[in-house]
Structure formats: C-alpha cells, structure tokens
Amino acid sequence: MQNYMVLDRRTIQTPYGILGGVDSFTCHPKGELLGVKLSEKNMIVTQAGEMIPAYTEHARRKNKPSVEFDKQGMVISVALEKQQEVLTPIGELPAELVKFYSTGELHRVFILDGQLSGFWSEEDEKKLNISLTFDLGFAEFQGMINGICFYKSGDIKSITLFPGEVAKILTPMGMVETKVGVSLYESGNLKSVEPADPVQLPTPIGRLTAYDPDQNGINADSNSLSFTENGEIKSLITCDHSIYVQTDDEEMKKYSPHVKVHPLYDELLAVSGIQIEFLMETGEVMIDHDKYDLELCGFTIEPFVRPGLHCSPSDCANCSLCNKSMTE
C-alpha cells in the first residue's frame, strides 16, 4: 500500500515529512516507499538526533539510497552527507551510515562508509577513522572499528573492528586475540569472538584448536568461537584436528576438515574447518550436523595434516599457504 505522496517531480511527502531534491526513489513490491536518493539538503529527525542525508556525489560515495524506509514508512537507514556525531546509548559517536530498528531504536552505527576502488584504498579509508576505547567488563581495548551494533534495549550487541586492528579479549577459556571483533549477550556477557590465530581450548570431548580460515570479517555479530551466557563453550570451528566418534552402537565415524579447490586458483587447495556445537541442555555434541550423546559415545582427537604438507594450520598460522591454501 502506497505510504507516500509525490508533490512534484522533485518532492515527496513521507511519514517523516517532506523531502526535496529527490533524484529518484524505489518502492517495496506492494508499493510502499523503500529508498530515496537526494540531491538537495534535507533534515531527518531520529532517536539518534538530527541527520542530514547524503545529497552530493564524490569518489567515496557508495551507490545507495540517502534514506531507506520499511513497509510501514519508518526510517531504517540514513547515509549521511558527511561524518557527524550521532547520539548512541554509549555516548556520541562519529558516523557516516546509521541504521534503525523498524520501531525507531538505534540498530547500527558505521564510522565510515566509503567505497573501496582502484582510486580509493583501504589505507585511504583508514586515515579518516579514529581510535576509540571500549570497556566491556571482561575486556578493555582501544582501536579503530568499522561499526557497532545495539540491541533494542540499547545494550551493545557486537563491535566490528576495522581491518588490520587487533583486540585482546578475555574469554572464559583464556585470552584470545581477534581481528574481527566480539558479540555480546544483552546481559553484557561475552557471546562470541573470532580468533585471529589458532587457539587451543578445552572442550567436553578434549582439547581442540579453534580457528576458522573462511571467516570473512564483514561483521562480528556471529563468530565461530561462541560461549553460553554462563561461560561454557558453545561452538567452534577447527581446521587443525580430525575427530573419531565411537557411537553407542559400536560404529566408528571420522570427521576431518574439508579439502577443496581454492575458489580463485585451480592449482591450489584450501581447507574448511569442522563445525562443532555443544548442546549442553541435552548433553549432546553436534559435529558437522550429526548429533552424538556425550556420555554414551567415545571421542578421539588427532592432528589433521594437510595433504602434501608436513604441518598443521596452527604450526604456521601466519603463513599464507597454511592460512589460505596449499599445494598438492
């Protein structure tokens, strides 16, 4: 159902007021206003303060709407004309892109939102960033971030680091370095972290090396190493071990990291880790989607050596071959 009115070819009336200098707009499948691109200065009033949506073009500007709406006409995203201070539950933060829940609460704040290209590098983008300090109770660190995500309540949901930044996080299993970031429960307890390097951890089936070679670092909302709210290990990915399971009916099964052709180089091989999740409420472990009773089954762990190499991923975590690919 249409929730806007075109006043003239450059002006639209929305539930948030009149927007002028409209270059173009798009709609949801049923006709509700979705996004508006602007070429004149406008003002949007939000729970995070007054914002000036993007209305000029430059080399860094991404091709995206200045303002986006949900089907009910609520503002859910504002790409800002320039970096400005916005009001957040943890104080004012600089931002170039701000997202909201459909009920109006602040959802995400992105410090920068530049388009990387042959003319604008990640290093150029980094020069526009600033270092921030965070005290999460279990960890205090300082560094540049890509963005921060909030629960509707205003509590921090996740913090995503800027590429190249590293934070030391005290987990229930010890100190872990991350290049991606952390996610939190609404209570403030650590929910997950993405290890920057392989780290050995005690688990209900034995010591395993946690590391995900396929992590993309887009955001830290959901990381491969996760914990329950009371601090027990919940899940991890390992590319360093094979796991033998002796089932309760005397069957033996083996799970190993998955060897595959590198997606970019046919002559190279790559490894994807095994997903392991501990279902403590039922007393089970799930390995690559198969469930086993922790008390009735036996588990044996052995190092996984990549074909053609005499080392495991943790032996040479900083080597480009071991981290990303391998030769036959």
Side-chain angles (χ1 to χ4, degrees):
M1 179 182 295
Q2 185 170 312
N3 58 357
Y4 65 95
M5 180 180 296
V6 177
L7 302 182
D8 60 46
R9 68 182 187 87
R10 300 269 294 165
T11 311
I12 290 180
Q13 183 168 356
T14 78
Y16 265 74
I18 295 175
L19 296 176
V22 176
D23 267 3
S24 63
F25 66 91
T26 58
C27 295
H28 290 281
K30 293 187 178 181
E32 305 93 339
L33 188 63
L34 170 59
V36 176
K37 294 193 73 172
L38 304 170
S39 58
E40 292 180 9
K41 185 176 181 179
N42 288 264
M43 182 77 72
I44 298 287
V45 179
T46 73
Q47 289 191 24
E50 296 180 342
M51 300 183 178
I52 300 175
Y55 63 93
T56 60
E57 295 294 330
H58 54 71
R60 284 185 65 240
R61 181 79 72 203
K62 290 182 177 179
N63 183 24
K64 64 170 57 176
S66 307
V67 187
E68 291 183 275
F69 304 85
D70 70 359
K71 293 181 180 181
Q72 285 69 48
M74 294 292 291
V75 170
I76 57 172
S77 179
V78 181
L80 299 169
E81 169 64 13
K82 61 181 180 180
Q83 190 181 75
Q84 69 173 78
E85 297 291 321
V86 299
L87 303 175
T88 82
I90 60 172
E92 291 190 340
L93 288 175
E96 288 189 349
L97 176 65
V98 185
K99 293 183 177 289
F100 300 89
Y101 289 100
S102 59
T103 45
E105 298 90 350
L106 186 63
H107 187 194
R108 296 182 188 273
V109 173
F110 296 88
I111 309 300
L112 300 173
D113 190 41
Q115 175 68 54
L116 301 183
S117 67
F119 303 98
W120 188 259
S121 68
E122 193 172 87
E123 191 61 34
D124 293 323
E125 190 81 349
K126 184 177 182 178
K127 292 176 182 177
L128 301 179
N129 210 327
I130 62 171
S131 186
L132 300 171
T133 300
F134 295 92
D135 185 354
L136 304 177
F138 55 83
E140 182 176 346
F141 62 91
Q142 181 176 7
M144 297 181 184
I145 67 170
N146 260 348
I148 183 167
C149 182
F150 296 94
Y151 288 100
K152 284 187 177 183
S153 64
D155 295 305
I156 295 175
K157 186 175 184 179
S158 70
I159 299 173
T160 303
L161 299 173
F162 191 85
E165 296 289 290
V166 176
K168 291 184 178 180
I169 305 298
L170 181 60
T171 77
M173 304 297 171
M175 196 69 71
V176 173
E177 284 194 346
T178 178
K179 295 180 182 178
V180 178
V182 297
S183 70
L184 289 74
Y185 287 100
E186 204 161 356
S187 64
N189 292 339
L190 178 65
K191 185 175 185 180
S192 69
V193 64
E194 194 61 60
D197 298 303
V199 55
Q200 280 204 352
L201 302 170
T203 79
I205 62 173
R207 293 189 67 84
L208 290 169
T209 299
Y211 181 67
D212 180 10
D214 294 327
Q215 60 87 9
N216 53 37
I218 294 176
N219 65 53
D221 287 4
S222 179
N223 302 298
S224 65
L225 176 57
S226 69
F227 305 90
T228 64
E229 198 158 3
N230 61 7
E232 296 177 314
I233 192 162
K234 184 178 180 181
S235 68
L236 61 84
I237 288 177
T238 182
C239 57
D240 217 42
H241 290 106
S242 294
I243 301 170
Y244 291 89
V245 182
Q246 184 173 2
T247 68
D248 51 358
D249 58 2
E250 302 301 321
E251 184 181 0
M252 183 69 75
K253 290 189 175 182
K254 180 182 180 181
Y255 296 86
S256 292
H258 312 288
V259 180
K260 59 187 180 182
V261 176
H262 194 283
L264 298 179
Y265 308 101
D266 291 342
E267 71 277 11
L268 298 178
L269 297 177
V271 170
S272 290
I274 310 170
Q275 173 83 38
I276 303 170
E277 184 175 359
F278 299 99
L279 311 172
M280 304 311 294
E281 64 278 4
T282 61
E284 296 174 305
V285 59
M286 185 160 61
I287 306 175
D288 271 3
H289 308 293
D290 294 333
K291 290 183 181 180
Y292 299 100
D293 191 294
L294 285 167
E295 290 189 0
L296 299 179
C297 299
F299 302 91
T300 303
I301 297 169
E302 70 172 18
F304 173 72
V305 178
R306 302 184 181 200
L309 297 178
H310 301 291
C311 56
S312 63
S314 62
D315 291 329
C316 48
N318 295 318
C319 170
S320 60
L321 276 178
C322 281
N323 235 358
K324 298 179 182 178
S325 59
M326 62 184 180
T327 55
E328 293 183 337

